[in-house]
Amino acid sequence: MRTLQLENKIVKIKEGELVSYSVDGHEFIHQKGSLGWGSSDTEMFPIIGPVNEAGFMVQVPKANAVQDQHGHLRLLSYDLAENSGTSATFVKEYKAGTPVTNKKYPEKSDKALLVWPYSFRFEKFFSLTDQALEIRFKVSGERDMPYMLGYHPAFKLTTDNPIIKNNHKQISLAEVLAVGSRALEVPNCNEITLVDEKRITIKTEGFGHFMCWTEVNNMVCIEPITFYPYSVEQRKLHEGFQYLNNEKTFKVKLISGD
């Protein structure tokens, strides 16, 4: 467990996963073991969304790739690259064509191994500042590699009627629950505020959209994404790809405030 602290802000990270972010003693992150989801944050890469209806295959320029829901990055382990009192860097590296054991097999998938035909390096940076917890992602690898990226943090809820809002709309928890497993799309948006017992704003660079998901009333995932996967049929998921030009950086700031 790595702990970062700056004045009234404390961050705890376990093997690259953000398991706690507290400000003045208030916990913002969904706790593992609580009802709702078995994780507290993860990344969706190099695809977002399910592919079961497409035979767990995704069309890419180098032929079809064998993937499962939200991609195989989450199945790889992070290595700690740097650590200080207020920052930490974690890295995952993947070599093209390396089989990755699929944890969903055989209960939820008929693919025991997942394969991606491109090599890449994925870096996750945590940094505490006076204003926020900043999380940055740097993707580097083969030129023109297709990819999507989504960040999947889960926020703890402590009131009966939390509100998710941006400059254009206000969303109730009931609206997110009604969409179910598909997740509620919030398009063309770089900033969302969750208003609960305490307020936290998720401000992003590089993603462009959000989606919101929960199936319980004690947590909600507010997820920056580069592409909303349910806007196309699963066999056309490749239509949502961006293409890498050596490297790309994405930013998420978690800004707390009453």
Side-chain angles (χ1 to χ4, degrees), residues 133-170:
L133 168 60
E134 182 173 310
I135 305 164
R136 288 181 289 128
F137 306 99
K138 185 168 78 172
V139 182
S140 56
E142 295 185 39
R143 187 179 181 88
D144 296 325
M145 179 185 78
Y147 72 94
M148 306 170 197
L149 175 61
Y151 178 46
H152 193 309
F155 297 95
K156 181 180 180 179
L157 299 176
T158 57
T159 66
D160 293 333
N161 298 296
I163 296 296
I164 300 163
K165 66 178 185 177
N166 61 17
N167 290 334
H168 307 291
K169 66 189 301 183
Q170 186 166 292

Side-chain angles (χ1 to χ4, degrees), residues 49-60 64 148 227 229-241:
V51 284
N52 57 301
E53 295 175 7
F56 300 97
M57 306 292 284
V58 182
Q59 182 179 326
V60 296
N64 286 333
M148 306 170 197
F227 178 69
Y230 300 100
S231 62
V232 298
E233 299 174 19
Q234 290 186 18
R235 63 184 180 86
K236 296 182 178 180
L237 196 62
H238 60 276
E239 294 179 4
F241 279 135

